[in-house]
Amino acid sequence: MADLNPTSKAFFLGPKSENEPWVRDQFQAILDQWFAWRKSLFPKDPPAITQPDKLNPAFLNSQKVLAQALTELNGLLSEETPTYSPRYLGHMVSESLLPALLGHFCALLHNPNNTSREVSRVGSVLETEAIAMLAEMIGFSAGKAWGHFTSGGTVANFEAIWRARFRMDHWLSLALFLAEKKRRRLELFEDAHMGWSQFHQLMSEHHVQESQLRPYSLAAGNPYRVAQKLSAQMGRAFEGPVFLVPGNRHFSWMKGANLFGFGQESFWTIELDSHGKMDVESLRDTIRAAKEQMRPILMVASIAGTTEAGGIDPLGDVQDYLDELARNKSWDIWHHVDAAYGGFLCAVLETQPQVLARKNVESLLAVRRAHSITIDPHKLGYVPYPCGAFLVGDKSAYAVSSFAAPYLNRQDLPAGKWVSTIEGSRSATGATATWLTGKTMGFASESFGQLVASTCRSCQGFREFLTTHLPWVVPLNPTDSNVFCFSVADKGDPLSVSNKKTSSLFFTLAEGPQFSVSTTTLNASAYSKQILAHVASFHGKKDSETLILIRCVFMNPFWANEDLNHALRQEFLAVLKTWHDREITT
Ligand SMILES: *Cc1c(COP(=O)(O)O)cnc(C)c1O
């Protein structure tokens, strides 16, 4: 078994604070610098807090109160979920990388607000650099990619919806304007996907100013009136655009459709195959249906690293099909890859692609061909919360309605991010944490790639170990990355019985102090084929609409340590055996 690389060993505190002295020195250095910074600026100003102030009883009492409350807070936090521990396999979080923690802490003390250069002279520059580092790892072309940090993947997905809507709204409003004013025939589906080059060509051909389009815009005008005008031109009711999202999506997509006012009906689910991945055949059928029903496609979303099982959709096949439509029919359809979790798997592509199945390597190599992506450094990037990111491969896809805030408007500075981000005030901590990690470890590097690859190996090793020793542990197929899901079933068990056993084991694990795992439920409404395949693997009968699974996320780097790995998996095995013996006797 390959041990963790020395860089990773140096760049985590360690489950027993093994790197404490060095980390202490670094935090001290940050504080020293922070104090010195204040002392060095404006040295002639008189001090604001004097020696007599510091002897004032009320002053001293305040310090005492704060120190006590701080002790209390620290005490309370000692009860917090120990997500740093290798025994924690619950959710998509693990111990933070030290460069990320130090980078976050450093910026926290300076408190820049990346909403605008005025309040973030340095933070906003570092944000641009950190985004470029992520873009490089993904494989976007340098200089063309663009993006910003968000509070997480949820908001990053919203950023994509906002931009896809902006784009389609421009194209549709021009088509409607030309139909009403210039007697150009409206071809709703074609026009809604016309592409920027046709848009600009029509604009100049007909001498249209963008401001003339406002009354024809579903976003900038009155959407009900515009829908009526569209219906009149179409000769049938305009029913709005649709989102094509696979059944393995994260629930943030539903929130997004809801927030942007598209309605749940606009959410068209693409079927999943027996591996729980987007079925490209179903995507083709759904696009055909959208065309027939004259429902323009706001975007196709696919997932790299599903929240449930770390699965990777066939992104290359999706993009190939969309490219084919662009070539043959001139339909420009937005493709967003929700790589909130799996985006960092791109780090292994150059150095250790062999830890991933070939098909998944192909899929991850296609992420760079999408219009936009979501990636969460606070998941597989080992960066502290909150830190998500939204990126586009080409700056033209970043365009969005801009809003003017007069008090933030300074002509002498480059436009602030606030004009194009959903969030207003944004901490620079996520950017600096990512920046320092990129500077030291480098995301597109051997060391970061090895770290992520080692977690995939640990996961695969654990899966093999458990399924070899316990025939009643039934793994969910496939394990694409470092998330291992399994259910409990004896040969021939009906699914309902298996679900009861899995739940019982989960509660035993949840009650015990030894390990934290999570549970997830696959519904037949989305996962029917994968559930059938899973049940067939233990010769069971599908007598339930749900499949209950235990989910283990192997993000913790120290599972790559041989001694630790050996001790923990033996202990995990013992917990499961004890549960099983008890289960059989009761
Ligand atoms: C976690 C996740 C999200 C949401 O990210 P947050 O950072 O929790 O807001 C979106 N999509 C996928 C696939 C995820 O795994």
Side-chain angles (χ1 to χ4, degrees):
M1 166 177 210
D3 196 9
L4 196 59
N5 67 64
T7 307
S8 297
K9 285 190 177 175
F11 281 3
F12 287 103
L13 172 57
K16 293 191 174 307
S17 298
E18 289 89 333
N19 285 322
E20 174 182 343
W22 188 84
V23 174
R24 210 178 261 284
D25 286 350
Q26 304 318 306
F27 273 99
Q28 189 60 50
I30 294 173
L31 289 175
D32 289 346
Q33 180 68 31
W34 189 45
F35 299 143
W37 181 54
R38 293 184 173 217
K39 290 183 197 165
S40 67
L41 281 176
F42 319 116
K44 299 239 167 69
D45 288 356
I49 305 163
T50 62
Q51 218 42 45
D53 283 340
K54 294 184 190 173
L55 298 173
N56 180 315
F59 178 99
L60 290 168
N61 188 52
S62 300
Q63 285 192 330
K64 201 174 106 198
V65 168
L66 177 52
Q68 278 168 353
L70 186 59
T71 307
E72 186 189 346
L73 176 60
N74 266 318
L76 290 170
L77 286 173
S78 69
E79 296 297 311
E80 193 47 275
T81 315
T83 52
Y84 70 83
S85 166
R87 290 170 181 272
Y88 181 83
L89 301 166
H91 291 281
M92 293 168 155
V93 57
S94 171
E95 132 139 296
S96 298
L97 270 165
L98 287 175
L101 196 62
L102 293 165
H104 180 107
F105 183 64
C106 218
L108 191 63
L109 297 182
H110 293 264
N111 200 27
N113 180 350
N114 277 0
T115 194
S116 139
R117 283 279 173 95
E118 269 188 39
V119 276
S120 179
R121 272 190 240 168
V122 177
S124 50
V125 176
L126 297 180
E127 175 170 22
T128 307
E129 293 182 18
I131 288 290
M133 293 170 181
L134 294 178
E136 187 196 346
M137 177 187 67
I138 293 298
F140 281 148
S141 346
K144 280 178 90 184
W146 199 243
H148 64 268
F149 286 90
T150 62
S151 62
T154 300
V155 173
N157 284 343
F158 297 171
E159 296 282 6
I161 298 173
W162 198 20
R163 284 161 174 82
R165 185 184 71 171
F166 171 86
R167 193 178 89 143
M168 181 177 284
D169 187 58
H170 270 68
W171 301 347
L172 260 188
S173 44
L174 174 62
L176 179 59
F177 173 87
L178 294 178
E180 285 203 357
K181 300 286 182 200
K182 311 275 178 177
R183 296 172 161 269
R184 177 183 175 274
R185 194 182 143 79
L186 180 86
E187 294 288 354
L188 187 99
F189 194 85
E190 276 68 24
D191 290 342
H193 305 107
M194 71 168 66
W196 283 121
S197 59
Q198 201 196 343
F199 173 84
H200 292 303
Q201 191 191 326
L202 286 169
M203 289 286 280
S204 69
E205 194 179 304
H206 294 278
H207 310 289
V208 190
Q209 301 298 316
E210 212 168 302
S211 58
Q212 290 175 278
L213 300 182
R214 284 191 87 81
Y216 301 87
S217 154
L218 287 158
N222 178 317
Y224 307 96
R225 209 175 293 145
V226 172
Q228 277 178 359
K229 290 176 192 238
L230 284 167
S231 304
Q233 294 295 335
M234 288 161 71
R236 63 185 277 180
F238 173 68
E239 297 189 316
V242 289
F243 291 77
L244 307 191
V245 282
N248 55 10
R249 68 199 167 220
H250 185 261
F251 52 80
S252 52
W253 288 100
M254 242 89 75
K255 290 185 188 170
N258 191 285
L259 276 171
F260 282 91
F262 286 108
Q264 211 137 305
E265 184 277 340
S266 66
F267 227 76
W268 286 16
T269 302
I270 305 162
E271 286 175 21
L272 305 179
D273 64 15
S274 61
H275 284 170
K277 297 167 185 242
M278 187 202 284
D279 179 347
V280 182
E281 244 350 278
S282 167
L283 174 68
R284 288 168 185 265
D285 292 345
T286 315
I287 290 179
R288 212 171 295 130
K291 157 78 179 151
E292 267 161 28
Q293 297 174 41
M294 290 211 198
R295 303 292 298 272
I297 297 160
L298 194 78
M299 61 158 59
V300 172
S302 49
I303 324 286
T306 59
T307 320
E308 252 65 61
I312 300 166
D313 281 338
L315 309 171
D317 299 343
V318 173
Q319 191 63 57
D320 285 346
Y321 180 53
L322 296 178
D323 288 351
E324 185 188 313
L325 291 176
R327 260 193 325 271
N328 298 345
K329 302 195 184 264
S330 301
W331 298 347
D332 186 345
I333 298 175
W334 190 292
H335 184 199
H336 178 82
V337 176
D338 184 354
Y341 187 69
F344 285 94
L345 291 169
C346 291
V348 314
L349 292 176
E350 251 174 48
T351 58
Q352 359 234 313
Q354 64 279 9
V355 298
L356 302 172
R358 261 184 71 149
K359 182 72 194 174
N360 292 330
V361 170
E362 265 171 40
S363 297
L364 291 170
L365 283 169
V367 176
R368 62 193 64 173
R369 293 164 58 201
H371 287 89
S372 57
I373 69 151
T374 287
I375 181 166
D376 267 357
H378 69 204
K379 284 185 174 165
L380 203 45
Y382 299 91
V383 168
Y385 298 115
C387 186
F390 170 75
L391 274 81
V392 293
D394 188 308
K395 256 183 209 164
S396 67
Y398 194 72
V400 78
S401 326
S402 87
F403 292 87
Y407 64 94
L408 282 174
N409 224 349
R410 279 259 310 266
Q411 301 302 328
D412 55 328
L413 290 174
K417 277 281 186 195
W418 55 272
V419 294
S420 52
T421 57
I422 289 176
E423 290 163 279
S425 294
R426 285 181 312 119
S427 164
T429 52
T432 54
T434 305
W435 185 89
L436 197 60
T437 308
K439 268 272 178 202
T440 52
M441 215 166 179
F443 293 111
S445 75
E446 178 82 2
S447 50
F448 195 85
Q450 273 188 23
L451 166 63
V452 174
S454 84
T455 65
C456 295
R457 270 192 220 102
S458 301
C459 178
Q460 286 150 12
F462 185 84
R463 175 186 151 129
E464 253 170 61
F465 172 79
L466 216 56
T467 50
T468 307
H469 286 82
L470 303 173
W472 43 266
V473 164
V474 185
L476 181 74
N477 284 319
T479 298
D480 279 350
S481 52
N482 55 9
V483 181
F484 168 50
C485 293
F486 67 94
S487 68
V488 175
D490 288 296
K491 200 170 171 189
D493 273 349
L495 179 55
S496 59
V497 171
S498 159
N499 281 341
K500 282 206 188 90
K501 291 179 178 174
T502 309
S503 296
S504 160
L505 173 59
F506 174 72
F507 285 113
T508 297
L509 282 162
E511 279 162 12
Q514 288 153 297
F515 294 95
S516 283
V517 298
S518 51
T519 181
T520 189
T521 301
L522 303 187
N523 279 299
S525 57
Y527 288 93
S528 62
K529 289 180 185 151
Q530 195 178 23
I531 294 176
L532 276 174
H534 185 77
V535 172
S537 74
F538 57 86
H539 306 282
K541 187 170 117 247
K542 183 181 164 287
D543 64 344
S544 167
E545 289 304 294
T546 58
L547 167 62
I548 298 177
L549 295 163
I550 290 176
R551 172 172 168 267
C552 305
V553 181
F554 279 84
M555 265 186 65
N556 190 285
F558 294 106
W559 277 86
N561 178 299
E562 199 159 348
D563 293 342
L564 199 58
N565 186 305
H566 185 77
L568 292 184
R569 67 193 199 182
Q570 290 298 340
E571 194 179 321
F572 198 95
L573 181 67
V575 173
L576 265 58
K577 278 184 170 162
T578 308
W579 167 82
H580 194 247
D581 292 348
R582 208 186 56 214
E583 187 79 355
I584 284 178
T585 52
T586 53

